[in-house]
Amino acid sequence: MSFDWEDGRGGSNISDLEYQSGAKIQVTKETDKEKTLLKLFGTAESFRKATQLINEITQDRQKTYTRNESISPQINSKSVVTSNESVPIKKPERAKFFDMEECLRKEKEYWSNFPEIRKNFYEEHPVVRALTEKDVKEIRLENNNIVVDRVLSTENGAAIPKPVLTFEQAFCRYPEILSQLKKAQFAKPTPIQCQAWPILMSGEDMIGIAQTGSGKTLAFLLPAFIHIEGQLTPKEDRKGPAVLVVAPTRELALQIDKEIKKFNYHSINSCCIYGGGDRKQQVAELKSGVDIVIATPGRMNDLFDSGDLYIENITYLILDEADRMLDMGFEAQLRRVLYGIRPNRQTVMTSATWPSGVRRLAVSYTKDPIQVYVGSLDLTATHSVAQIIHILEEGDKEKTFFDFIANMGPDDKVIVFCSTKGKTDYLSVECIMKRLPSASIHSNKEQCDREQAIADIMDGTAKILIATDVASRGLDIDDVTHVINYDFPKNIEEYVHRVGRTGRAGKTGESISYFTSENWASAGELINILEEAEQYVPKELYDMSERFASRQQNKTQNPKRGFRSGSRW
Ligand code: AMP
């Protein structure tokens, strides 16, 4: 490909360059070399300036068009003819490259042809209405210290709906939902549900800062069911889904889909589209007509590009685990598709954390959202989990692990976390050779194998799941009695997430972490977690933490002095 100066912005660049440099620029092409030559006419000064500007542009363009290595125009003594005469240059007519107002007007006009979106389905229960401000404060405090706020608003927006305490208070007008909740034998709403249901049924945008295991999926799904049914266009007449849930991983997407199907509310149907799954089948499901699509960003883009995913009738959008999607580099893919969704839809975001990237997404895609922050449930889960730390050498891990396995009870179920795929495979093969009922999961496994591994551990066919961190978040596996950190995670947040895979739904659990000298940098933070949960802290852990802290201090004071690797002990 040659560099075509006369195309689009290139064309206007020539007149811009002429104007800025004072030189006259003539574009010629050497077809045999597939290169473009520029001839410059003007004073030495204008020639110098034009050359400089051209070099700047070509460097920029080379950065942009990295696929093309021969795009730079040839500017050399042969190709440039200078003249001492100044050439009069006209100021270029600047075409408006992007007319924002016009775009907004056209967008508004386009969406005005779509049916109105109904969002408010909430009727406050008399008991909730009667709650005083003090009651509301107390309820929020007692429910994991829920904090609610219109975080992105500079003014005092409309009042934030009060929390509910029972399923009846939230869904008194929806008996089928109540009966499904009863069937599920849930005792009461989780903290995020207490506050999210009134907000979402009122039609407000929401950002839920909550972890997996907090009940966040039903927090956004039950209002979604009500939203779908409440729209003016009957679903038979609607093209494409009304609800889109975007999730970072296939496992989480499949889990959300499972939750929808488990709930089986009226005839609301869903389809899960994710990379690694059967594309043809996913397209067929989309074509057959679905109310809810749960998608991972890559496959969502793919099916959007191919025209199989129609997004213009989506009126309720959920970005689940937004922080994780950003960590996984999905921002561009998200933004591409979200741009085409109705701007006045209702939007829900969930995230475990609230970093600037997530805030940026929220600013772009939500309208005056109410943030609901519930204290980390995984951290509270660590209170229902006995956390045991084994200080050992790397070489002792395997024996310690198989000693533990040999002593497992018949009802025990364990997730074992390894730091690498290789280690996961190794341990898995060892388990298979010992004929242990095990399964393994990591990101290099085929999707069907990953799904099978999860199904096996869920139904108890496997009692041991060996996994990399891909399984530490988002997975909701019942009855995990033990978590083993075969390799201690790189950061303490991951530790908390892993520990939270057991001790769920009111049950107790045990987490066992193999901690070696390599992990000494995490000792201090681990001590904080153990102390907070009133767990036993081995003396060696305190020693390691102190040694690491003093090493850090020395490093700051003597930045040039090196430390021998063995110095940590
Ligand atoms: P999630 O945080 O959405 O992944 O939910 C974790 C688990 O909690 C899922 O198995 C849900 O079915 C379950 N769950 C959701 N709401 C409740 C509730 N109110 N009480 C007990 N369990 C619940």
Side-chain angles (χ1 to χ4, degrees), residues 328-345:
M328 292 169 84
F330 289 141
E331 183 163 0
Q333 289 176 329
L334 270 181
R335 286 188 181 269
R336 241 186 105 235
V337 174
L338 300 195
Y339 180 70
I341 300 180
R342 292 180 69 170
N344 57 339
R345 72 197 169 231

Side-chain angles (χ1 to χ4, degrees), residues 125-416:
H125 191 280
V127 175
V128 179
R129 200 176 314 134
L131 293 173
T132 63
E133 227 173 88
K134 187 166 163 270
D135 297 333
V136 167
K137 250 189 192 166
E138 269 169 22
I139 292 171
R140 287 184 180 142
L141 196 67
E142 280 160 16
N143 277 278
N144 272 70
N145 192 13
I146 304 170
V147 180
V148 287
D149 190 16
R150 290 189 186 271
V151 267
L152 304 180
S153 167
T154 47
E155 300 147 28
N156 284 341
I160 294 172
K162 296 172 185 174
V164 293
L165 276 174
T166 64
F167 296 127
E168 288 72 23
Q169 287 172 8
F171 301 111
C172 50
R173 292 167 59 205
Y174 303 94
E176 289 94 335
I177 290 192
L178 284 176
S179 81
Q180 292 290 359
L181 285 166
K182 204 167 173 194
K183 229 193 246 169
Q185 295 187 320
F186 297 155
K188 62 183 181 91
T190 64
I192 182 92
Q193 292 167 352
C194 284
Q195 192 56 83
W197 284 334
I199 291 172
L200 291 176
M201 285 195 287
S202 305
E204 300 265 10
D205 283 4
M206 191 191 90
I207 302 162
I209 305 293
Q211 316 270 348
T212 301
S214 59
K216 67 182 167 65
T217 314
L218 284 186
F220 60 69
L221 276 184
L222 299 187
F225 293 161
I226 293 169
H227 175 100
I228 293 170
E229 289 215 316
Q231 295 314 302
L232 296 169
T233 319
K235 57 186 200 159
E236 319 63 84
D237 300 345
R238 196 190 52 229
K239 186 179 171 195
V243 172
L244 173 67
V245 188
V246 195
T249 62
R250 322 161 208 209
E251 281 75 22
L252 184 59
L254 284 165
Q255 207 166 286
I256 297 166
D257 194 31
K258 209 168 131 200
E259 198 86 340
I260 297 169
K261 293 191 162 80
K262 195 164 78 185
F263 228 81
N264 190 23
Y265 182 66
H266 291 176
S267 54
I268 286 175
N269 59 354
S270 60
C271 146
C272 193
I273 59 174
Y274 53 93
D278 183 340
R279 192 179 186 283
K280 259 194 191 156
Q281 191 192 328
Q282 292 170 8
V283 169
E285 277 185 60
L286 286 175
K287 287 225 156 74
S288 71
V290 285
D291 302 300
I292 307 179
V293 167
I294 308 108
T296 53
R299 183 55 61 92
M300 172 176 75
N301 256 276
D302 174 12
L303 296 183
F304 170 65
D305 283 344
S306 63
D308 295 300
L309 174 64
Y310 184 80
I311 59 171
E312 295 194 349
N313 280 322
I314 289 165
T315 50
Y316 190 102
L317 168 72
I318 299 134
L319 305 176
D320 198 14
E321 299 201 352
D323 52 346
R324 202 146 179 237
M325 289 203 267
L326 296 186
D327 288 348
M328 292 169 84
F330 289 141
E331 183 163 0
Q333 289 176 329
L334 270 181
R335 286 188 181 269
R336 241 186 105 235
V337 174
L338 300 195
Y339 180 70
I341 300 180
R342 292 180 69 170
N344 57 339
R345 72 197 169 231
Q346 187 173 358
T347 308
V348 190
M349 272 172 70
T350 79
S351 183
T353 52
W354 183 234
S356 60
V358 177
R359 262 197 302 269
R360 216 176 42 233
L361 267 195
V363 169
S364 305
Y365 298 111
T366 59
K367 287 210 175 90
D368 195 12
I370 299 172
Q371 188 188 69
V372 180
Y373 175 90
V374 286
S376 162
L377 280 196
D378 276 344
L379 262 178
T380 39
T382 61
H383 287 221
S384 56
V385 177
Q387 299 174 62
I388 297 158
I389 310 297
H390 279 320
I391 311 276
L392 41 58
E393 304 273 341
E394 185 65 37
D396 295 335
K397 283 183 178 178
E398 195 172 326
K399 180 175 180 314
T400 312
F401 172 67
F402 283 110
D403 283 350
F404 167 85
I405 298 292
N407 288 306
M408 270 174 76
D411 296 328
D412 287 350
K413 223 182 230 188
V414 54
I415 304 186
V416 187

Side-chain angles (χ1 to χ4, degrees), residues 414-417 437-441 453-454 457 462-467 471 475 477:
V414 54
I415 304 186
V416 187
F417 287 105
S438 64
S440 72
I441 177 171
I454 291 167
I457 192 81
K463 298 284 189 181
I464 307 163
L465 177 70
I466 306 162
L475 278 185
I477 299 168

